Amino acid sequence: MTQTILVLNGPNLNMLGTREPEIYGSETLADIERRLAARAADLGLAIDFRQSNHEGELVTWIQEGRGRVAGLIMNPAAYTHTSIAIMDAMQACDYPVIEIHLSNVHRREAFRGHSYVSKVAVGVICGFGSKGYDLALDGMADLLARSR
Ligand code: CA2
């Protein structure tokens, strides 16, 4: 059966492609989803791609992934730096998590250098723009192939 990778995007990422292209690029989230779905199909995987501005909704989606998805790729956006709730939900899930950021968070304001999510993620990708989603999907495919 085809394995599904949950791809979650946190607050304000629905605005991608409309503002701050110098930091976040000019692609929209829909562009990224389209590209990633094609890449997933090439890898024999499926993606379930979502965005929410609400912390609780993201927590619920992470919980509902138990027994349903093979892995999670998440750009938690600003919740990266604040959300113990998202970290706890990830800790309780039974699948691997890869954290991604479009920008290199370590070159920006000091508060962006701290991530609760990194404490529970298998790996972190940042600074490669939307290409980071593709890199994370490749990394997840390798991880799943090795655990088979
Ligand atoms: O670099 C990333 O991917 C971030 O997760 C993006 C978050 C930021 O809070 C993190 O520190 C790093 C912000 C997402 C906001 O996205 C926008 C995109 C276009 C216009 C406005 C906001």
Side-chain angles (χ1 to χ4, degrees):
M1 219 178 70
T2 306
Q3 291 180 304
T4 299
I5 309 303
L6 183 60
V7 185
L8 295 183
N9 296 279
N12 295 306
L13 286 166
N14 55 314
M15 304 289 286
L16 268 187
T18 65
R19 283 177 36 215
E20 304 190 84
E22 64 290 349
I23 303 176
Y24 299 122
S26 53
E27 272 184 302
T28 65
L29 210 54
D31 293 332
I32 296 172
E33 178 177 6
R34 213 171 303 118
R35 213 188 48 239
L36 206 65
R39 196 176 186 90
D42 287 345
L43 292 165
L45 297 168
I47 56 163
D48 178 355
F49 193 98
R50 306 180 187 194
Q51 188 276 333
S52 178
N53 292 325
H54 303 278
E55 186 176 18
E57 188 165 41
L58 292 161
V59 167
T60 299
W61 288 342
I62 293 166
Q63 290 176 1
E64 288 175 352
R66 272 185 77 88
R68 186 180 76 84
V69 303
L72 167 63
I73 294 169
M74 183 165 187
N75 183 348
Y79 289 145
T80 307
H81 320 298
T82 62
S83 182
I84 296 170
I86 287 175
M87 178 185 72
D88 284 348
M90 287 174 169
Q91 203 140 36
C93 72
D94 58 356
Y95 47 80
V97 177
I98 297 179
E99 174 185 354
I100 57 166
H101 300 284
L102 296 156
S103 63
N104 180 351
V105 286
H106 302 289
R107 285 180 67 173
R108 302 180 63 193
E109 301 95 324
F111 70 84
R112 293 188 204 274
H114 175 263
S115 166
Y116 284 102
V117 172
S118 296
K119 307 221 174 295
V120 291
V122 175
V124 184
I125 293 168
C126 75
F128 292 96
S130 67
K131 170 90 180 162
Y133 285 78
D134 303 63
L135 297 172
L137 191 61
D138 286 354
M140 185 64 80
D142 279 359
L143 203 65
L144 297 176
R146 273 189 273 127
S147 68
R148 250 176 232 133

